[in-house]
Amino acid sequence: MKMGGVCKIAVVCLFGFGLQGCSGERSALDPAGKEAEELAKLFWIMLSGAGIVWLFVLLATFAAVRFPSSTFAGIRPGLFIFISGVIFPTICLGGLLVHSLRLLPGARDAKADMIVKVSGEQWWWRVSYMSPGGEDVVSANEIRIPSDATVEFELTSPDIIHSFWIPVLGGKMDMIPGRTNHLRLHPEKAGVYRGVCAEYCGTSHALMGFPVVVQTQAEFDAWLKLEKSDAVPPGSPAAINGERLFMSTGCRACHTVRGTEARGQIGPDLTHFGGRKTVGAGILANTSANVEKWLRDTGKVKPAVRMPEFNMLHSGETRDLAAYLTGLK
Amino acid sequence: MTRETETGHNLWRMLAPLTIWALHFLACYVAAAILCAKYPQIADLSPLRHLIFLVTFLAVAGVAYIGFSTLRIWRYSLDGDLDYDHDTPEERHRFLAHVTLMLCALSVIGILYVAIPAAIIGSCR
């Protein structure tokens, strides 16, 4: 194949890969919420503006090289530079500043329909849903919110700085120890999306994600009612043995399973772990095999994680423990 | 007409717009930070907005005064050309006046950009 053919294929491939970023569960250019829509619009406005300026500079360069200087005798260089280098950028940047300030969450008066508290841990997410007149509903590593509702996230962290970002729903917001930041999002399309930590926070920063489930109000209410309830006692012999292992091998020291003796606060709440979509904060699909892998090779799946590996359990015990955990619907 | 050309007077004039911009920036941000830290329950800049607008007006007026007075010097020092490449007191004056005018324009833009968030957001969040 000739060199030109190779180049064409390479350009098409690169362009194709580039287009992958324009859609999907984590693309800011494929918005599913009001805020993300406004940001995507701003991006396209800025891209178009930058493209026009780029073309103008290219054409001016081409004209300067191609035509004799007498062609431009009517143009005063000082005035040309002053207008295109001072006046134009000042007006453009001023306009963009005003427009982008209006997009900031704090600039809107919208009243939040619900509040979700999220704390960035190393490297997972502590989530609690504020229920009016009741106790907070505690969960972890997954966020569920109703569509067509304004949700306020209260964001903080106990130790280091993280950043909370759901690209398809809106902009990111830092989670700073000792401070509570507020982020309001208004999802419009139901679906399953992905959130990430957008601030480097240590070894497993890139492995700190979470699924975001946007559902109808009725579906959300039903889910929240279930999430509020205690864990369902295990049914199968394997799961019953798994619960015994959970209580006797130290898991309960760090994890809470409401309705049991497990009241640990160090790790994620596992009361309804089986109902979640992922294991290890958005890393693996929530299947028995992956839970076993997580229990056995925790440090390999998520380097430097605080949870110890439970590879002293034999395979049958790990399987039973996984059966118990995945059964916590 | 004789003028003192070696007093360094224009150097101070050149620094004044930037100093006003810096003081305006500090006044706005320090005042907003104190209000938001002391009264987090209000989370609203409204009590401070009028003060920020007043400080902004004074800062822009101050820079404009320096700008217009510099413009007079610049015009006076033109002598029929805009050249300031030579090491003469006259051209040094002209150069400093030119730079001061540019810095005045930059400072006005900077001062207005600092005040815009207070006008649009008006919130501690």
Side-chain angles (χ1 to χ4, degrees):
Chain A
M1 191 183 286
K2 282 182 184 175
M3 205 54 198
V6 175
C7 283
K8 276 179 192 167
I9 291 171
V11 167
V12 169
C13 287
L14 282 174
F15 191 63
F17 284 130
L19 285 179
Q20 288 292 310
C22 296
S23 67
E25 60 173 22
R26 63 182 86 181
S27 172
L29 299 179
D30 188 10
K34 258 185 196 168
E35 288 73 16
E37 216 167 90
E38 285 166 351
L39 289 177
K41 204 187 292 173
L42 182 64
F43 170 78
W44 289 117
I45 290 170
M46 288 180 72
L47 187 70
S48 312
I52 291 168
V53 170
W54 180 67
L55 268 180
F56 177 75
V57 171
L58 273 188
L59 286 174
T61 310
F62 174 77
V65 174
R66 178 72 181 78
F67 302 109
S69 56
S70 57
T71 315
F72 312 106
I75 299 175
R76 288 166 61 192
L79 188 66
F80 180 74
I81 291 171
F82 185 70
I83 290 173
S84 53
V86 178
I87 304 281
F88 177 71
T90 304
I91 292 171
C92 273
L93 291 176
L96 283 172
L97 176 67
V98 171
H99 183 67
S100 51
L101 281 173
R102 285 184 188 281
L103 297 182
L104 282 179
R108 283 186 285 269
D109 299 326
K111 203 171 173 294
D113 297 311
M114 64 174 291
I115 295 175
V116 183
K117 295 178 191 168
V118 185
S119 171
E121 312 279 332
Q122 287 183 39
W123 290 272
W124 59 281
W125 311 86
R126 195 187 293 275
V127 183
S128 59
Y129 299 81
M130 282 179 78
S131 64
E135 278 186 17
D136 290 0
V137 180
V138 181
S139 184
N141 294 332
E142 183 169 299
I143 286 173
R144 290 190 184 236
I145 43 178
S147 57
D148 284 324
T150 302
V151 183
E152 179 162 324
F153 291 95
E154 289 187 358
L155 307 169
T156 190
S157 167
D159 38 33
I160 56 170
I161 299 175
H162 302 272
S163 184
F164 180 87
W165 190 26
I166 309 171
V168 295
L169 295 186
K172 60 190 85 164
M173 180 71 80
D174 278 0
M175 310 171 98
I176 301 167
R179 187 183 160 82
T180 302
N181 280 343
H182 301 261
L183 175 70
R184 282 182 189 169
L185 298 176
H186 189 103
E188 289 177 319
K189 272 194 273 181
V192 180
Y193 308 109
R194 185 168 168 86
V196 292
C197 176
E199 177 83 33
Y200 181 73
C201 56
T203 311
S204 279
H205 156 71
L207 300 172
M208 188 177 168
F210 57 98
V212 182
V213 183
V214 178
Q215 48 199 168
T216 63
Q217 187 69 50
E219 286 170 341
F220 174 77
D221 290 342
W223 172 83
L224 193 63
K225 196 177 166 191
L226 180 73
E227 194 72 10
K228 203 173 183 177
S229 62
D230 287 347
V232 184
S236 68
I240 291 169
N241 190 40
E243 185 184 34
R244 185 189 62 76
L245 288 164
F246 189 89
M247 300 301 165
S248 61
T249 54
C251 306
R252 68 175 183 167
C254 295
H255 297 283
T256 291
V257 177
R258 292 192 303 277
T260 72
E261 293 166 7
R263 290 279 166 202
Q265 295 291 321
I266 297 168
D269 184 298
L270 300 177
T271 307
H272 295 287
F273 171 80
R276 291 177 200 154
K277 296 192 176 299
T278 61
V279 182
I283 306 176
L284 303 167
N286 193 356
T287 62
S288 292
N290 282 339
V291 175
E292 284 182 52
K293 187 179 176 186
W294 172 260
L295 292 169
R296 232 181 9 250
D297 301 321
T298 323
K300 284 182 194 144
V301 178
K302 185 172 269 197
V305 69
R306 286 177 177 174
M307 178 171 154
E309 289 174 349
F310 281 76
N311 48 15
M312 72 293 204
L313 301 174
H314 62 71
S315 59
E317 290 176 322
T318 312
R319 197 162 48 243
D320 289 352
L321 201 47
Y324 170 62
L325 291 170
T326 51
L328 292 170
K329 300 284 185 186
Chain B
M1 185 178 179
T2 56
R3 275 194 302 127
E4 284 186 46
T5 54
E6 305 296 341
T7 56
H9 171 75
N10 277 351
L11 207 56
W12 289 113
R13 187 190 296 276
M14 188 179 75
L15 292 174
L18 296 177
T19 309
I20 292 174
W21 178 12
L23 291 175
H24 172 264
F25 178 88
L26 276 177
C28 291
Y29 275 78
V30 169
I34 290 173
L35 182 81
C36 291
K38 292 279 181 194
Y39 304 100
Q41 69 278 12
I42 304 175
D44 186 10
L45 281 181
S46 298
L48 205 63
R49 272 172 129 182
H50 291 105
L51 189 67
I52 289 176
F53 295 153
L54 178 68
V55 173
T56 303
F57 174 76
L58 291 176
V60 170
V63 175
Y65 173 75
I66 296 166
F68 282 117
S69 60
T70 308
L71 194 62
R72 279 204 303 275
I73 296 170
W74 186 66
R75 279 182 180 151
Y76 175 81
S77 67
L78 280 182
D79 285 346
D81 67 77
L82 282 165
D83 192 16
Y84 43 68
D85 292 338
H86 303 99
D87 182 20
T88 64
E90 203 60 46
E91 295 201 2
R92 197 154 46 245
H93 271 289
R94 192 182 301 150
F95 172 74
L96 288 176
H98 189 81
V99 171
T100 305
L101 276 176
M102 294 296 107
L103 287 178
C104 282
L106 182 69
S107 299
V108 167
I109 293 167
I111 289 166
L112 291 178
Y113 275 26
V114 167
I116 284 174
I120 292 175
I121 296 181
S123 163
C124 293
R125 288 186 169 181

